[in-house]
């Protein structure tokens, strides 16, 4: 089988590739240092399984997964250190084949590769638990306002659109910042997306 490993930490990537190449049924392992490089490689090389880190420069693992689903038929395994419900939900929405934590051995990763190639799905139980028990602290109105913030709307534009006063929108924003422990609007949007709250 042919594999792609996309991981921005070169030492980790090299070690993983070496271990995978020691497996009898692994024919080739292509390496990508970031998401953009992963997409370029996938456009040029036929691959059976893509193993993607989430947080990479230029394109995230989730963006590479979405590109693959739009352009190719292959299995995708996301490996991550982050137990973030928002990331997991986005990966599930793109029909990721496996979503596992990085603290696994090469043998466990090979087992996951064989599982997905046989048509099975695999998700780390810790991640499933995080999503199942993640409670959204934002009210429906706060979510509505934060979505408009994420689209670049100012407080006044939000007030006009939702028939609220500017002061009311400011109060909602203060509440959002408090609930998410966010320092500013950009931070609030990022935190809410990571947790799958918007």
């Amino acid at each position: 089988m042919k594999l792609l490993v996309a991981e921005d930490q070169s030492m980790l990537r090299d070690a993983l590739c070496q271990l995978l190449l020691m497996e009898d049924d692994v024919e080739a392992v292509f390496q990508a240092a970031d998401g953009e490089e992963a997409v370029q490689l996938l456009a040029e090389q036929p691959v059976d399984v893509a193993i993607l880190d989430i947080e990479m420069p230029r394109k995230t693992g989730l963006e590479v997964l979405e590109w693959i689903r739009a352009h190719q038929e292959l299995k995708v395994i996301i490996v991550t250190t982050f137990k973030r419900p928002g990331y997991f939900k986005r990966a599930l929405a793109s029909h990721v084949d496996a979503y596992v934590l990085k603290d696994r051995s090469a043998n466990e990763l090979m087992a996951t590769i064989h599982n997905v190639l046989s048509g099975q799905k695999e998700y780390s139980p810790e991640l499933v638990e995080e999503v199942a028990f993640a409670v959204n602290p934002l009210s429906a109105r706060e979510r509505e306002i934060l979505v408009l913030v994420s689209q670049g709307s100012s407080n006044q534009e939000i007030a006009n659109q939702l028939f609220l006063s500017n002061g009311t929108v400011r109060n909602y924003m203060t509440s959002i910042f408090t609930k998410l422990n966010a320092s500013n609007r950009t931070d609030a949007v990022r935190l809410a997306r990571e947790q799958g709250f918007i």
Side-chain angles (χ1 to χ4, degrees):
M1 74 178 88
K2 293 182 180 179
L3 307 174
L4 166 75
V5 173
E7 162 66 62
D8 61 328
Q9 294 178 36
S10 56
M11 205 160 79
L12 186 61
R13 186 178 68 249
D14 290 345
L16 181 56
C17 291
Q18 291 303 319
L19 289 167
L20 291 170
L21 279 168
M22 290 165 72
E23 298 290 329
D24 293 339
D25 50 354
V26 174
E27 184 187 333
V29 181
F30 302 102
Q31 294 191 38
D34 61 53
E36 195 63 55
E37 201 178 317
V39 167
Q40 286 167 4
L41 267 166
L42 288 166
E44 295 163 9
Q45 300 285 351
V47 168
D48 300 298
V49 182
I51 301 163
L52 311 174
D53 182 25
I54 282 206
E55 296 207 338
M56 295 186 289
R58 302 209 288 165
K59 261 188 177 40
T60 67
L62 292 169
E63 288 169 328
V64 177
L65 166 63
E66 286 157 2
W67 181 89
I68 290 168
R69 289 296 177 251
H71 298 91
Q72 296 187 343
E73 286 287 324
L74 66 126
K75 301 296 184 184
V76 180
I77 297 170
I78 283 184
V79 288
T80 181
T81 50
F82 303 104
K83 296 182 191 176
R84 292 183 178 157
Y87 285 176
F88 185 37
K89 284 180 184 173
R90 186 170 159 194
L92 287 177
S94 294
H95 308 287
V96 70
D97 297 287
Y99 193 109
V100 296
L101 295 172
K102 277 186 183 174
D103 60 358
R104 55 186 31 221
S105 67
N107 285 343
E108 287 172 316
L109 183 58
M110 275 311 298
T112 300
I113 291 168
H114 288 296
N115 283 345
V116 301
L117 284 171
S118 69
Q120 297 175 56
K121 300 276 188 192
E122 187 178 324
Y123 311 124
S124 283
E126 303 97 316
L127 293 160
V128 175
E129 210 169 274
E130 288 275 336
V131 168
F133 298 108
V135 177
N136 191 338
L138 303 177
S139 68
R141 179 63 97 184
E142 287 166 346
R143 288 197 299 274
E144 189 177 14
I145 287 170
L146 203 49
V147 166
L148 291 171
V149 169
S150 75
Q151 294 165 358
S153 299
S154 67
N155 282 4
Q156 190 58 59
E157 287 166 338
I158 294 168
N160 294 344
Q161 194 168 334
L162 301 180
F163 305 104
L164 300 169
S165 72
N166 199 319
T168 301
V169 173
R170 272 203 313 274
N171 290 341
Y172 274 122
M173 288 307 302
T174 302
S175 173
I176 290 167
F177 290 168
T178 303
K179 287 179 177 179
L180 297 178
N181 198 19
S183 50
N184 55 46
R185 293 160 70 92
T186 308
D187 197 32
V189 169
R190 178 184 63 79
L191 289 165
R193 281 186 172 150
E194 282 178 3
Q195 299 301 321
F197 295 155
I198 61 168

